[in-house]
Amino acid sequence: MGAVLAAIVVLVLVGWGVSVHYRRRRERKALLSVLAQIRVLRQLVEQVQRHRGLSYGVMSGERSLEARRWSVHQQVNQLFETCQLHQPSLHWHGSWHDALACWTQLEEGREEQDPESMLLIHNEMIRNLLATVQGLAERHDLVCLGRLAPQADGLWLELLRNTEIVGQSRAIGTGIAANRQNQAGARAKLAALAAQLREQCYAVLARLASDPELRSLVDHPVRAAEDALDVLLERISALLDSPEPGIDSAGYFQTATQALSAQLLLVDMLLARLERRALSSD
């Protein structure tokens, strides 16, 4: 009788162990799938931001940016095709459908829209893409990571949101430089964005650099991101200080792009750490 009970206990424990093993495998697979979705959406945010800046520059008179705008337009469409692989998950996010509607609106009215309307639609589209990313991150605890407050590895989302401050600064500054004239409204927007850059973007970089686990990994890219922000803010000051900007719009666009890319590099590094953690989990 004792042998029978022991055998039953062993079978129950084995069954429980197998169940836990397969549950963890399913959870790991789901987490890796979500991270793959976030990576595609992060690329989409980057390219829509680039499309916005180039479009605003072209519509403000800098026709030399037209070929680059068309190339980026094609990349955005390709990324939307890639997103079809994740449609069963993205379908449940209303912000995703709103982002799709914005892109349709941009495509249908590409020739008729004025620069300001085009800018606002792009802004709304990016807000919806970021909201979709945030929804995925919150559902799968990719920011707080099991704690009550955001963890250092979870700062990727704040960094990604901050790219939109840089991105809007790129678009508006490119438009000001392309027009080469005093635009009070655009200058006021750019000045407000510069204040946001100073208040928000440096703070998250400092938090990353001060984390004991991440310090050695992010030290160089954080300093590079800070340097790129410094240069961008100098270019913004030059634009705002001159009544008739003499700054090359393509050059300004490139300076802002370098600042944005430095932020995205850190986003990618932190997402890669989350992927490695998922792959190594038992």
Side-chain angles (χ1 to χ4, degrees), residues 11-277:
L11 287 173
V12 169
L13 290 174
V14 169
W16 176 79
V18 170
S19 174
V20 169
H21 173 72
Y22 280 105
R23 187 185 76 245
R24 287 177 177 172
R25 282 187 60 183
R26 289 194 299 271
E27 290 173 351
R28 181 167 62 245
K29 184 178 179 180
L31 179 56
L32 289 171
S33 175
V34 169
L35 287 169
Q37 293 174 52
I38 288 173
R39 279 195 175 276
V40 175
L41 290 172
R42 162 253 178 274
Q43 293 176 53
L44 191 55
V45 168
E46 178 185 13
Q47 295 306 324
V48 174
Q49 288 171 332
R50 191 185 300 269
H51 187 270
R52 172 185 57 196
L54 292 168
S55 297
Y56 197 62
V58 168
M59 297 177 79
S60 297
E62 187 56 76
R63 305 305 300 180
S64 67
L65 300 175
E66 178 60 48
R68 292 169 65 185
R69 177 173 72 157
W70 176 247
S71 175
V72 171
H73 188 95
Q74 298 301 105
Q75 291 179 55
V76 172
N77 281 326
Q78 289 170 9
L79 285 167
F80 272 124
E81 291 179 12
T82 302
C83 286
Q84 290 301 313
L85 298 172
H86 306 292
Q87 188 60 27
S89 170
L90 295 174
H91 173 79
W92 300 101
H93 296 268
S95 53
W96 171 246
H97 295 285
D98 292 338
L100 289 171
C102 288
W103 185 245
T104 299
Q105 190 176 357
L106 285 169
E107 287 207 300
E108 290 177 348
R110 191 162 57 235
E111 302 303 325
E112 294 80 17
Q113 287 161 356
D114 62 89
E116 295 305 318
S117 297
M118 180 279 307
L119 186 70
L120 291 175
I121 297 170
H122 275 95
N123 291 352
E124 180 64 21
M125 181 177 178
I126 294 165
R127 274 195 296 272
N128 284 309
L129 290 173
L130 290 172
T132 305
V133 171
Q134 182 170 343
L136 289 168
E138 290 177 348
R139 182 176 180 182
H140 295 271
D141 193 25
L142 295 175
V143 175
C144 294
L145 303 172
R147 306 290 182 84
L148 295 177
Q151 300 301 295
D153 279 337
L155 290 175
W156 64 270
L157 181 58
E158 187 174 347
L159 286 163
L160 185 60
R161 284 198 293 253
N162 284 349
T163 66
E164 179 57 358
I165 306 173
V166 181
Q168 289 193 30
S169 301
R170 177 174 62 183
I172 294 174
T174 300
I176 293 173
N179 262 328
R180 296 178 178 83
Q181 55 185 324
N182 193 352
Q183 303 164 293
R187 285 170 176 269
K189 290 179 185 176
L190 187 57
L193 288 165
Q196 284 185 270
L197 287 172
R198 295 187 186 95
E199 292 167 7
Q200 295 177 222
C201 293
Y202 288 100
V204 65
L205 294 174
R207 287 163 62 194
L208 270 180
S210 64
D211 183 79
E213 289 187 23
L214 291 175
R215 186 180 298 120
S216 61
L217 176 68
V218 303
D219 180 62
H220 178 71
V222 162
R223 282 190 283 110
E226 289 172 339
D227 290 344
L229 284 172
D230 291 344
V231 174
L232 175 59
L233 284 167
E234 289 173 3
R235 298 298 292 273
I236 290 175
S237 294
L239 270 178
L240 296 177
D241 291 343
S242 175
E244 295 184 3
I247 292 177
D248 171 56
S249 57
Y252 176 89
F253 184 91
Q254 185 58 32
T255 296
T257 297
Q258 289 169 353
L260 200 153
S261 297
Q263 302 279 323
L264 288 173
L265 175 62
L266 289 163
V267 172
D268 291 341
M269 291 175 68
L270 295 178
L271 288 175
R273 278 177 62 88
L274 293 179
E275 287 172 346
R276 288 194 295 270
R277 178 184 298 181

